[in-house]
Amino acid sequence: MTARLDAKFAALAQQGRAGLVTFLTAGDPDPGTTLELLTGLPAAGADVIELGMPFSDPMADGPAIQWSSLRALKAGQTLAKTLDLVRAFRAGDDTTPLVLMGYYNPIYVYGVARFLADAKAAGVDGLIVVDLPPEEDDELCLPALDAGIAFIRLATPTTDDQRLPKVLANTAGFVYYVSITGVTGTATPDFDKVGAAVARLKRHTRLPVAVGFGVKTAAHAGAVARGADAVVVGSALVETVRTSLDAEGLATDKTVPAVLGLVRELAAGVRGAVRAA
């Protein structure tokens, strides 16, 4: 749907490897640190960036991302400030795809038409909005597609073959396969089942398939990368942010190096994976 996402996944296919998709929450622990992390991610090995839109009730997320949202909100992060971060990132990087991920409520409050116009102008390539099912496509999905912003849908282990076509109907950019049942960051995927699930999705769509939820280490990332088009890591990164903070919850001189160091490890795991035939 968007040039940056299409170009990135085409380049990954040409290189014969999976991509690394990294998630951070905007404004965690403060906007300046987020921007420093964003600008460092591509060089550390991130192929696509997901930026979380903080929300007070992130029901699909486990404790690590819930806490990151609360830290960001406490620091004064808003949806408008999140778009400011995207603009600042785009000032120095016009090629790395950036996707906003979160919940519908902040977008609804902002105003859908205004949000899509501002997001497009800021340089947002896609949206993942976890609480809008296909039955609600008129709310945001179709307007986003009309605005030239990919609407990236989640598929889960419980999405059966009857439901899958509806889930995929207006999906663009890539399909995000949730590798576990439950919330983010709380379990480790069964990597054999992940491979089979990706193969099943590929029978229904030509879109790239990215796999996330539960990927914490370079070994995990490498295992997923053998069969998926991309590996998504979020909870492990925001937990690294948390453990680097001082007693008041503020960033330290360890925060940025710790997060980018983990990204480099994950990227090495992804790049070292032997792809399934």
Side-chain angles (χ1 to χ4, degrees):
M1 166 52 61
T2 67
R4 291 188 194 98
L5 281 167
D6 291 348
K8 175 57 69 174
F9 280 105
L12 291 170
Q14 194 169 26
Q15 295 168 32
R17 70 170 180 89
L20 175 63
V21 182
T22 57
F23 171 94
L24 292 171
T25 299
D28 174 31
D30 61 79
T33 302
T34 301
L35 182 57
E36 195 174 347
L37 287 168
L38 287 176
T39 56
L41 283 173
D47 296 295
V48 178
I49 295 170
E50 285 180 12
L51 188 59
M53 299 176 282
F55 181 50
S56 57
D57 187 25
M59 70 283 270
D61 292 302
I65 293 178
Q66 287 184 24
W67 292 331
S68 74
S69 237
L70 293 175
R71 288 193 299 269
L73 292 171
K74 184 179 178 182
Q77 190 68 15
T78 64
L79 188 50
K81 290 180 180 179
T82 297
L83 294 176
D84 287 341
L85 281 173
V86 178
R87 287 188 200 92
F89 172 73
R90 281 282 172 244
D93 186 322
D94 196 40
T95 58
T96 303
L98 189 148
V99 173
L100 294 182
M101 184 172 186
Y103 298 82
Y104 183 47
N105 180 270
I107 296 171
Y108 177 79
V109 171
Y110 192 99
V112 169
R114 175 176 164 236
F115 168 75
L116 291 173
D118 290 352
K120 183 66 175 177
V124 172
D125 299 296
L127 296 174
I128 302 172
V129 181
V130 300
D131 56 346
L132 278 181
E135 288 76 12
E136 305 295 336
D137 274 358
D138 288 343
E139 287 285 330
L140 181 63
C141 172
L142 296 179
L145 294 175
D146 287 342
I149 297 175
F151 198 86
I152 297 154
R153 192 81 71 188
L154 303 179
T156 74
T158 59
T159 308
D160 60 25
D161 285 343
Q162 186 174 355
R163 175 70 173 168
L164 200 51
K166 183 170 282 191
V167 169
L168 296 174
N170 293 311
T171 300
F174 61 90
V175 180
Y176 188 143
Y177 179 69
V178 176
S179 59
I180 59 172
T181 53
V183 295
T184 57
T186 55
T188 301
D190 181 325
F191 299 114
D192 291 333
K193 288 183 179 178
V194 167
V198 171
R200 181 173 74 93
L201 284 171
K202 293 280 194 179
R203 292 194 290 270
H204 290 266
T205 182
R206 298 176 66 180
L207 289 171
V209 178
V211 175
F213 280 48
V215 179
K216 297 183 178 69
T217 67
H220 290 171
V224 173
R226 287 199 291 269
D229 297 301
V231 183
V232 187
V233 183
S235 294
L237 295 176
V238 298
E239 183 64 6
T240 301
V241 171
R242 185 188 70 81
T243 57
S244 75
L245 304 178
D246 66 16
E248 280 72 48
L250 302 177
T252 68
D253 57 5
K254 298 177 182 176
T255 302
V256 172
V259 174
L260 296 183
L262 178 55
V263 172
R264 281 189 284 272
E265 292 174 18
L266 294 163
V270 169
R271 285 161 172 76
V274 177
R275 303 283 282 158

